[in-house]
Amino acid sequence: MQRRTFLQSLLTSAAIIGTPMWASRALAAESTATIVGGVSVENLPELSGDLTLYLGRGEGGLYEKVLQAISDRNPKLNLKIRRGPTAALANSIVAEAKAGVRRADIFWAVDSGAIGLVTDAELAQVLPSDLQEQLKSGFQYPNWAPVTGRIRTLPYNPQRVKAEQIPSDIMALADSDLSIAWAPAYASFQSFITAMRLLEGEQATAHWLRAVNKRAKSYAGELGVVMAVERGEVDVGLANHYYSLRLKSGKPNANIALAFTDNDAGCLINSSGVLALKDSATATNFIRYLLSREVQSYLATEAYEIPLVKGIAPPPGLADISNIRPPKIDLTKLADLRPTLKLMRDVGVL
Amino acid sequence: MKRFLKQFHHLALAFVAATSLMAVQASANGDIGDHVNDLQGHLKQYHQEVSWFIDNLDEIVVRYDTKGATAAQSDKLMENWEVVDFHSAIETQYVPVYASIWQGIFGVKQAIDSEQPIVKVREQQALLEQSLWQALGAVKLAAQYQKKGLLAKVKTTETDNLTQPETIDEIKHRLDRVVAKYAERLPESAVSIVHDTYQHLFEGIEGALIAQDADLVEDLEKDFNVTLPKALASKSSVDDVRNVVEDMQGKLDNARILLVQAEKKQKDVF
């Protein structure tokens, strides 16, 4: 029922596509973000000294803008940044530690799987409890902090199907008569299947993949999935939330609406994350800046990412995730994709 | 001739782009050293190398004409090109012409190896010579810019901290390298550049671009994941691959305009 109630409120805006409803929701979200939740940078200590950050490539340019803003605000901070693919940097951190070297003070990764590589190697410092407590329930970890999230969604075309036709159980999608778009080669899709494997088991996941594969149309990426739904080529798709929101922001009358499953891999929230590799006040306080009200709101409104600090409004066009019940899963366990890729190959999806 | 003029147009644009502060990333076959970061000081050497290569090319063609394909030793063309420093000078300064040189080398070699009439071999020889002189002109122009301090130093490390419009420039540059590697008969390297560019550069900007023009992003996603890899895998001609890349670069130019406009509207973090 909870899901249905939420869906109803979301779909009210989705059904009136291109009307001021969408815009008013966006405005409401933005204004709320500046009023409640999070700690303002005005109340954070000034950062000073040397700090080396390993930055996994992310939302092109916007993470850089955040870092530049933090540097500008803290002129006594000497921030050195090493950039690279997230997984490669995680491997570097582990390799450096094995060689007895710790070059990085902070690691900011675009996906939690890479964080898992570092925390599993016991290289991350325990974070202060007040910092963990800023994060929403289900996203509090002792030695790393999720920064922003993205949620798995079922984008659908309201001209072709009604919200009631979309199953609230991701496993039931396999038995529905809906035509489906998916992007099996896409990294986010593979993380979603990893979550399904962990939650439902190998056999059920294999069955689901085989069944969906019979009716699914494959696309190179998840934007392609969303666009196919919008054009009416299929009824429903499997994609991260931000493609639909971005499409809506540029094309308010797009024929797309979002549905969410309940408490399963279909509504998995994965996240970017940050951890400290050295026990240093500057490193810990730097993480506080990333969790600040201003940075969280900026990433929500500009990058359409989901703030994971309590009380910060979601991106324009997305209802509060407190109404959604994502599965309880340790995000760092999504690191190892190999069994997922093997399974997908075995059933002929890849 | 049309392609020749088009390439000169691209050349001029490339040097305009080079006056920006963006570092030029290189992954040339040859060593990155003094000879690419002091072009002016090596112009005489480059001129001698191009002349030497063209003389040797002519000797190979004459041998083919008088003694046949085996005596021509067409493999010498690749060996000669690999040993000249000019090779990495043009590869780091203007990749599209570098690709044309490899295309020309294989054009002559194939014509000889398949025992084409001498008139056909001479046609390929003329195209190769044209590309070589064009390349020398490009390096001379680059030397002038470098002398004035307008050309970024060639580095072997990866380009860092690009703005979104700069990322588009870097993607276009890497697509030129795709054509070059394909012309060099290294299709796996070409495919690897395509995947790497999509994953590490294009995916970083597509989010911002979707809100501006979702159809354009979808089109480019298809190009990166289907059209270009298919062209590279299906033994297309270098010209066909170049056409796909030039089509993508045109779309990327449109994307750049949209991203510049969008960046102006972005709010401040604090």
Side-chain angles (χ1 to χ4, degrees), chain A residues 71-90:
Chain A
S71 292
D72 291 347
R73 194 175 174 85
N74 296 279
K76 291 179 190 164
L77 176 70
N78 178 26
L79 181 64
K80 291 176 188 164
I81 305 170
R82 179 179 168 189
R83 301 169 179 85
T86 298
L89 288 179

Side-chain angles (χ1 to χ4, degrees), chain A residues 303-345:
Chain A
Y304 291 85
E305 294 183 357
I306 298 171
L308 294 176
V309 168
K310 291 173 190 167
I312 307 287
L318 188 70
D320 193 332
I321 59 163
S322 61
N323 292 317
I324 302 169
R325 293 199 308 157
K328 286 187 176 62
I329 189 166
D330 181 347
L331 296 177
T332 60
K333 301 297 178 206
L334 302 177
D336 190 3
L337 285 178
R338 284 170 299 184
T340 300
L341 297 177
K342 183 180 181 306
L343 180 67
M344 291 173 75
R345 285 191 195 107

Side-chain angles (χ1 to χ4, degrees), chain B residues 172-215:
Chain B
K172 287 178 64 184
H173 175 71
R174 291 197 187 188
L175 287 174
D176 283 333
R177 293 197 57 74
V178 169
V179 181
K181 288 294 150 192
Y182 190 71
E184 212 174 320
R185 302 294 169 96
L186 297 169
E188 285 177 9
S189 298
V191 169
S192 161
I193 296 170
V194 174
H195 289 161
D196 187 65
T197 304
Y198 173 76
Q199 199 177 347
H200 299 308
L201 291 175
F202 184 72
E203 282 205 328
I205 55 147
E206 71 166 6
L209 202 50
I210 289 168
Q212 309 304 315
D213 188 341
D215 290 327

Side-chain angles (χ1 to χ4, degrees), chain A residues 25-93:
Chain A
R25 179 181 290 277
L27 287 171
E30 203 166 355
S31 61
T32 311
T34 58
I35 293 168
V36 294
V39 176
S40 168
V41 286
E42 302 295 337
N43 299 320
L44 292 180
E46 188 183 359
L47 302 174
S48 61
D50 295 335
L51 194 73
T52 300
L53 167 75
Y54 279 19
L55 173 67
R57 283 207 193 85
E59 194 49 60
L62 294 177
Y63 286 7
E64 296 287 354
K65 278 197 83 171
V66 168
L67 295 173
Q68 189 58 52
I70 293 173
S71 292
D72 291 347
R73 194 175 174 85
N74 296 279
K76 291 179 190 164
L77 176 70
N78 178 26
L79 181 64
K80 291 176 188 164
I81 305 170
R82 179 179 168 189
R83 301 169 179 85
T86 298
L89 288 179
N91 287 328
S92 293
I93 289 167

Side-chain angles (χ1 to χ4, degrees), chain B residues 57-102:
Chain B
L57 166 66
D58 195 56
E59 284 171 18
I60 289 167
V61 174
V62 168
R63 277 203 302 274
Y64 171 68
D65 191 26
T66 54
K67 297 178 183 172
T70 308
Q73 294 183 288
S74 63
D75 285 348
K76 285 276 181 198
L77 283 169
M78 276 94 83
E79 289 170 26
N80 291 347
W81 178 238
E82 294 285 0
V83 296
V84 293
D85 280 348
F86 181 66
H87 178 146
S88 44
I90 188 61
E91 187 180 7
T92 53
Q93 298 305 330
Y94 195 50
V95 181
V97 186
Y98 173 80
S100 298
I101 292 171
W102 274 110

